[in-house]
Amino acid sequence: MPGIPGRPTLLYHLYCGLTSVAAPLVWRTVRNKLQAADVPKTRQQERLGHASLPRPDGVLLWFHAASVGETLSVISLIKRLGERLPGAEFLITSGTPTSAALIEKRMPPRTRHQFPPLDTAGPVRRFLDHWRPDAGIFVESEIWPRLVVEGARRGIPLALLNARLSDKSVENWKKHPETARFVLDHFLLFLTQNDKTARNLIDMGARPERVQPGTNLKAMSDPLPVDQATLSDIRAQIGNRPVWIASSTHAGEEETVLAAHSELLRRWPDLLLLLIPRHPERRSEVTALLDQAGQRSAIRSAGDTISEETQVYVADTLGETGTWYALCPIVFLGGSLKEIGGHNPFEPAQAGAAVITGPGYYNFAETFAPLIASGGALQVQTSAELAEAVATWLTNQTALDKARAAAKTCVNTQKTALDAVVETLCTQLSLSSPNSTASG
């Protein structure tokens, strides 16, 4: 391993001490959330480092992702790595029940999922003792100091993939340069989403030769799955009605979407809005907004069907977004009308849709830039602008076809980027062949 990290700083020791003291309270909070999501007790114990599955024989590559978006990108990468390294096994850790459920539905070959250990001594030790990964790839901003330091001390080569740090996080790290340098020095490789993050990591103390600007891994995710039976059923219910989609909407955005839909209904009385809240548990809040707007709705989770009177179909279920995208080529993507950071526009684009977004897509700035420049995506701010964008594509098939083709072209340019990520990981972490590392 090139370079030896310096001595632990006082702040690192303080962090370890405070997290140990707070561990019982943190565990209680985490456990309650998992219980509320009906996660079995044996799986809850994974957060304490107690594995619920055996370690497979041979080389094991470990990916740690934060939540749903990161998990989707990791799944695509594991599939490609699995082809490159046919003898390797894979472990994904992620912290949310939603991401765990998603992985279960889309598990790549030779892969298993666990919840990650709390970043305290006992859970981290038990996790690493059991799994003994041959490499660890942390995704985005998931830098857990003790897990990183302890993993590297055991000789596990570590990478930070798709690295993204908020300006606030960067400033906080810069206030403690010795600790930042100490923690970052345990990574052999940083593959960043953009040049800005690469510069920030170097300014924070990362070794420049280990930092490589890349692209947003989420843009390389596989297309979302489509359930053909559901697709046929919903198509039959919709018939020949015009449709548009508002996907991954957050609190404070549905009001704008419904106002735009009200405006559009004046021109197309039979227009159907397919509304996909980002968090299905907000269904009661969303239905209350529909009642206020005076729009007649059908709720997917309630088993409602789409009738001629239905103006909004609320698709408040998990794992079906790909099916909904296959229904309609006009998609407004939420998380963007507020300062939320946006969501992956390549998911609807891969399904053949043209995309509409608000201005707050900063987490996907590099992804949206070519989409907007090529005409594959439009940016709006108000309900009037949203209604106008939808109306343009409803009335002008040529313009819609052109936008869809531009979006698809942007997607295709990203496919080779995933191969480049695989090559870099294999080279920098010595994973050139299934036998290039030894099982711990």
Side-chain angles (χ1 to χ4, degrees), residues 201-232:
L201 282 167
I202 293 171
D203 290 344
M204 287 163 52
R207 302 189 185 209
E209 67 272 16
R210 299 183 185 180
V211 180
Q212 297 186 26
T215 187
N216 194 330
L217 192 64
K218 291 179 183 176
M220 308 176 210
S221 299
D222 286 345
L224 297 176
V226 176
D227 185 300
Q228 293 297 332
T230 300
L231 180 62
S232 298

Side-chain angles (χ1 to χ4, degrees), residues 63 81 120 133 176 318:
F63 287 80
L81 266 172
T120 57
H176 310 286
L318 291 173

Side-chain angles (χ1 to χ4, degrees), residues 257-298:
V257 169
L258 297 180
H261 192 50
S262 292
E263 180 65 28
L264 290 164
L265 285 169
R266 294 190 179 96
R267 294 184 61 181
W268 292 274
D270 62 341
L271 180 65
L272 178 69
L273 166 63
L274 205 159
L275 180 60
I276 312 170
R278 180 68 175 182
H279 303 290
E281 62 270 18
R282 292 184 53 245
R283 59 180 60 87
S284 59
E285 178 185 342
V286 172
T287 53
L289 292 172
L290 285 162
D291 291 340
Q292 292 174 17
Q295 295 178 13
R296 297 182 296 276
S297 63

Side-chain angles (χ1 to χ4, degrees), residues 45-58:
Q45 292 292 312
E46 293 167 13
R47 297 306 309 266
L48 295 178
H50 297 291
S52 63
L53 294 171
R55 186 202 188 279
D57 295 332

Side-chain angles (χ1 to χ4, degrees), residues 2-222:
I4 301 174
R7 294 172 60 85
T9 64
L10 178 62
L11 182 60
Y12 175 75
H13 285 303
L14 181 62
Y15 167 84
C16 291
L18 289 176
T19 52
S20 295
V21 171
L25 177 61
V26 173
W27 162 240
R28 194 175 305 121
T29 302
V30 167
R31 182 189 60 196
N32 290 342
K33 288 183 178 179
L34 294 175
Q35 285 178 342
D38 296 324
V39 174
K41 287 186 178 181
T42 53
R43 297 223 56 192
Q44 296 173 25
Q45 292 292 312
E46 293 167 13
R47 297 306 309 266
L48 295 178
H50 297 291
S52 63
L53 294 171
R55 186 202 188 279
D57 295 332
V59 173
L60 179 67
L61 308 184
W62 163 41
F63 287 80
H64 176 61
S67 57
V68 173
E70 294 77 23
T71 300
L72 283 170
S73 60
V74 165
I75 287 173
S76 301
L77 181 58
I78 287 176
K79 288 180 179 178
R80 195 64 61 88
L81 266 172
E83 297 169 358
R84 170 69 185 271
L85 306 174
E89 298 282 337
F90 300 93
L91 169 69
I92 304 178
T93 54
S94 64
T96 65
T98 302
S99 64
L102 177 70
I103 292 170
E104 288 299 324
K105 291 181 179 179
R106 305 184 65 181
M107 190 80 77
R110 311 192 306 276
T111 304
R112 67 278 302 145
H113 174 269
Q114 297 278 278
F115 292 109
L118 300 178
D119 202 35
T120 57
V124 167
R125 183 187 67 252
R126 285 188 288 269
F127 176 85
L128 294 174
D129 283 348
H130 178 82
W131 290 106
R132 307 186 314 278
D134 295 280
I137 296 96
F138 290 67
V139 182
E140 290 212 5
S141 55
E142 282 290 290
I143 303 176
W144 293 103
R146 188 190 288 268
L147 190 57
V148 168
V149 172
E150 293 300 322
R153 282 176 176 171
R154 294 179 182 228
I156 302 169
L158 302 178
L160 183 61
L161 181 62
N162 213 37
R164 175 179 60 85
L165 297 169
S166 68
D167 291 339
K168 182 178 180 180
S169 179
V170 171
E171 290 307 312
N172 287 336
W173 278 103
K174 284 183 177 179
K175 292 176 184 177
H176 310 286
E178 292 183 1
T179 300
R181 189 177 304 112
F182 167 73
V183 173
L184 294 177
D185 223 18
H186 290 81
F187 287 99
L188 292 183
L189 172 68
F190 301 88
L191 275 176
T192 70
Q193 290 187 13
N194 50 47
D195 292 338
K196 178 182 178 182
T197 301
R199 291 192 300 269
N200 281 337
L201 282 167
I202 293 171
D203 290 344
M204 287 163 52
R207 302 189 185 209
E209 67 272 16
R210 299 183 185 180
V211 180
Q212 297 186 26
T215 187
N216 194 330
L217 192 64
K218 291 179 183 176
M220 308 176 210
S221 299
D222 286 345

